[in-house]
Each structure stands twice: as C-alpha cells, then as structure tokens.
Amino acid sequence: MSNRVFNFSAGPAMLPTEVLEASAKALIDFQGKGFGIAECSHRGKEFDGVLDEAIDRCRKLLSIPDTHDVLFLQGGATQLFNTIPMNFLNGTADYVVSGEWSKKAASAAQAAYGEKIRVIATSEETKFDRPPVGWKADPGAAYLHVCSNETVHGHRLAEWPEHPNLVVDASSEMMSRPHPISRSALVYAGAQKNLGPAGVVVAIVRKDLYPRIAKSVPKIFSFQALAEAKSCLNTPPTFGIYFLLETFRWLEAQGGLTAIEKRNAEKATLVYEAIDGSGGFYKGTVADKSARSHMNVTFLLPSEELTDKFVKDAAKNGMVALKGYRTVGGIRASIYNAMPVAGAKALSDFMGTFAKASG
Ligand SMILES: Cc1ncc(COP(=O)(O)O)c(C=O)c1O
C-alpha cells in the first residue's frame, strides 16, 4: 500500500499497514483453507484457535495475572461503562470526571443509580483543560472509575491512581504503554483507537468481583457469564478479534509495550516541541504540561481562519483528520501506536513552516 497518508483521526483511527495487510489476507483466505476468518463458526476450531492465541498474547503483552479474565466483547466502551455499575455497584462508587468521556460514564451511572454514584472531583469548571488534582477516593467505595486518557481534551493520568477497586477507561491509550493491570479491578478499551476496527471492546476483569453480580443482571451483560463462555455467550465480533490478534503480534514485533511507550514519547515530544517552540503561535490546550497526552495532542491557532487553512494545507501535504473536537476547537492530532515517527515529524515540520508563513 503506497498511497497511504498520515491519518491523525481520533478514532476509528490509523492502523498499522502490516496488520491491515495480514488481516485482509485472512479475511479472504484463512490459513489456505479456502474460506475467510469472518466466514467460519465462532464455535469451530479455527476461530477457537484465534481466540486462544489473542487472549494469550494480550496476557503476555500486558502481564495480566491469572486473577483477571480477558474478554473481547461487543457494545463498545459506552456499553461497557453502562454495565459496570449494573454488575459491580454495591454501596457507593466514586467517579473522577476529567473530560467528555469520564463525564459520560458518570452521567450514565448516575441516571441509573442516582446518589450512589459520587463525582468526587471534576475539572469541568476549567473546561476540562487538565485532570482534577488533590482528590481522595473512598477506599471503601465499590470502585473508583477514571478515564486514563481523555481523547477529546488531550490529557492523561501520567500514573493511574491507587484504589482497591480501580476501574479504568483506557480506550484511547490501551497498549500505548505498559499498564498496571495487576492492581486494577477492571480495565476496558474500545478497539478503534489503538487496537483495531470498531466493534470490539477489550475488558480485563478481576475475577473476585463476580460474587457481587446480582442474579437479576441479564446474562448477556454479566461479566461472569461472558467470561465463563470465553466471550462467546453469543456470536462475538469474530473479525475484530482476529484483527486484535494481528495487532498483538505486531506489538510484540515492535518490542512490546515498553518499546512502544518510548516511541510514543518520541512522537509526542516532536509535536509538543513544535507547539512550545512557536513563540505563542500555537497554544496547547492542556494547562498542566505533565498531564499532556501522548496519544491526542490538542492545540489552538490564533484564529478560526488560520485553523481552517492549517487543516486544508496539511491535507494537501498528506496529513488528514486534524480538526479538533467541536467543544474544544483548534487542532487535535491523534498519534496512536500506528502513527510512525515519520508522521509526527512531518506534522511538526509542517507546523513550523505554517507558523513562519502565517505569523
Ligand atoms: C476514552 C473514551 N471512552 C469511551 C469512548 C466511547 O467508545 P465507543 O464509541 O466504543 O462506545 C471513547 C470514544 O471515542 C473514548 O475516547
């Protein structure tokens, strides 16, 4: 594939060319069998092998202990955050609201469970320009919910917080660095940013939570029932899971998550240096620099006109999908795992040239 551009979409997002090619091949013909991986039963030996290998590689990449199950589910991250209180709320649960996505998770839980859902900290009063700081969760809460990377606002929790039952929406940073799974109760991520096509969500769940699940929870939403059926209570997103397997193989070939983290830091530095070195032409939207996301880089230009011109000129130079989210405006450059260093370098060079020409 020679005509691919640098795609800075926030999701569904750019995916590694090698993974796309291997998955496309398996879509037409799986291991020379004359049928594709999306054309065989989820209960047959071909797909079962794919599922086992995907779970196994996911475990190895993230060092997931036996205390946790790995699930590949439908419904996206949104369904996931709706089913979390349905399964695991006993007493009250604490939510940190750091941006659009953690707000959505908290609001969905509050709509169903009212005052049992406590927003213990929010940065909404500063328009989510940083994650809230100085908060303390109740260690006795059923769980603490955080979003580790706010896709819209471009900041992250550099360190995941400590809590006996930590629940993390890691959708837009999953496997961009090693994650402390063993001290987390539940980690979930929609695939369509860092892992594969939309339609699969990865959920890593600590098994000791299962006794909390009330009998009234429909089986199709019960994490225990889904785990016992190895994600195959009904037909799982088979092609999406195959794609994940190829992504996991690719991540291993890149040197694993520590190597990926280093490369992501290098990419992020290139773009942030272009912002900080522009003499104020570009303004980062994140107030706390130590919380700047390594996945979604957000910044403003001096005017809407210049922002539109930036987006158009970048596209002419092979860099697409840079327009910021409507509530934040400006530019959002998403530089997930699949974005090569050359893409971040091309953007950073373009930013320098554009600022000089326009400033
Ligand atoms: C951090 C985060 N959480 C949740 C979601 C919702 O994901 P889905 O559309 O798969 O429900 C998104 C989507 O952009 C996201 O970025």
Side-chain angles (χ1 to χ4, degrees):
M1 281 186 274
S2 57
N3 60 341
R4 286 173 64 76
V5 294
F6 293 128
N7 173 6
F8 293 90
S9 170
M14 186 173 185
L15 295 164
T17 309
E18 300 94 311
V19 174
L20 287 164
E21 281 171 345
S23 302
K25 193 158 169 263
L27 191 58
I28 307 287
D29 189 5
F30 178 65
Q31 295 182 346
K33 289 182 192 291
F35 56 79
I37 192 61
E39 300 173 288
C40 57
S41 168
H42 59 296
R43 310 222 180 263
K45 66 177 187 322
E46 290 84 7
F47 182 73
D48 202 41
V50 166
L51 187 54
D52 282 341
E53 190 184 336
I55 294 171
D56 193 46
R57 286 186 188 269
C58 182
R59 282 192 176 284
K60 286 206 181 93
L61 276 164
L62 283 167
S63 308
I64 302 173
D66 288 345
T67 44
H68 291 61
D69 282 321
V70 175
L71 304 175
F72 302 124
L73 305 171
Q74 306 200 34
T78 301
Q79 181 170 300
L80 240 285
F81 63 61
N82 275 274
T83 54
I84 287 165
M86 189 193 284
N87 277 263
F88 301 129
L89 182 65
N90 56 6
T92 58
D94 286 357
Y95 281 67
V96 173
V97 172
S98 49
E100 189 93 6
W101 286 109
S102 46
K103 187 178 173 185
K104 282 199 168 114
S107 303
Q110 277 173 330
Y113 301 96
E115 285 174 6
K116 290 183 177 166
I117 305 298
R118 304 186 324 161
V119 172
I120 57 160
T122 176
S123 50
E124 192 161 15
E125 68 277 7
T126 55
K127 297 202 176 112
F128 298 128
D129 67 345
R130 70 198 81 184
V133 289
W135 50 267
K136 210 169 168 314
D138 174 5
Y143 57 85
L144 165 68
H145 182 281
V146 298
C147 175
S148 60
N149 186 81
E150 286 286 1
T151 323
V152 168
H153 305 280
H155 51 70
R156 67 171 186 172
L157 303 176
E159 301 277 336
W160 289 10
E162 304 267 347
H163 191 271
N165 295 300
L166 178 67
V167 174
V168 182
D169 175 356
S171 292
S172 50
E173 71 149 351
M174 189 61 157
M175 294 195 179
S176 66
R177 54 176 171 160
H179 303 301
I181 304 290
S182 59
R183 65 171 179 84
S184 305
L186 198 165
V187 178
Y188 65 99
Q192 67 271 22
K193 284 131 202 332
N194 239 350
L195 303 178
V200 201
V201 55
V202 177
I204 302 162
V205 191
R206 206 177 61 216
K207 298 178 210 180
D208 70 353
L209 297 175
Y210 297 152
R212 297 187 190 182
I213 304 171
K215 285 206 168 54
S216 57
V217 172
K219 235 178 144 186
I220 196 65
F221 296 133
S222 156
F223 285 100
Q224 182 169 18
L226 288 160
E228 281 169 358
K230 213 167 75 178
S231 303
C232 292
L233 202 54
N234 64 334
T235 317
T238 52
F239 178 64
I241 294 171
Y242 183 80
F243 201 105
L244 289 188
L245 168 58
E246 290 292 357
T247 301
F248 298 157
R249 287 177 177 161
W250 179 82
L251 283 166
E252 277 170 39
Q254 305 305 300
L257 301 188
T258 307
I260 279 284
E261 177 180 33
K262 206 164 150 254
R263 197 167 78 188
N264 285 332
E266 190 188 335
K267 282 152 43 186
T269 301
L270 280 167
V271 187
Y272 286 120
E273 277 180 359
I275 297 173
D276 296 339
S278 71
F281 182 79
Y282 301 111
K283 286 198 172 52
T285 67
V286 178
D288 174 2
K289 283 193 183 174
S290 68
R292 282 173 157 180
S293 170
H294 286 198
M295 298 283 100
N296 313 99
V297 181
T298 48
F299 55 95
L300 303 173
L301 277 78
S303 69
E304 289 235 353
E305 294 69 43
L306 281 170
T307 308
D308 285 348
K309 186 166 175 353
F310 182 97
V311 171
K312 283 191 190 122
D313 286 4
K316 281 187 210 142
N317 285 280
M319 289 168 274
V320 302
L322 281 158
K323 199 167 167 41
Y325 191 79
R326 58 185 186 279
T327 54
V328 179
I331 300 294
R332 173 172 51 175
S334 296
I335 46 173
Y336 297 118
N337 288 348
M339 177 62 67
V341 175
K345 175 86 174 63
L347 176 63
S348 134
D349 289 348
F350 170 76
M351 287 169 69
T353 313
F354 187 88
K356 258 201 208 105
S358 320

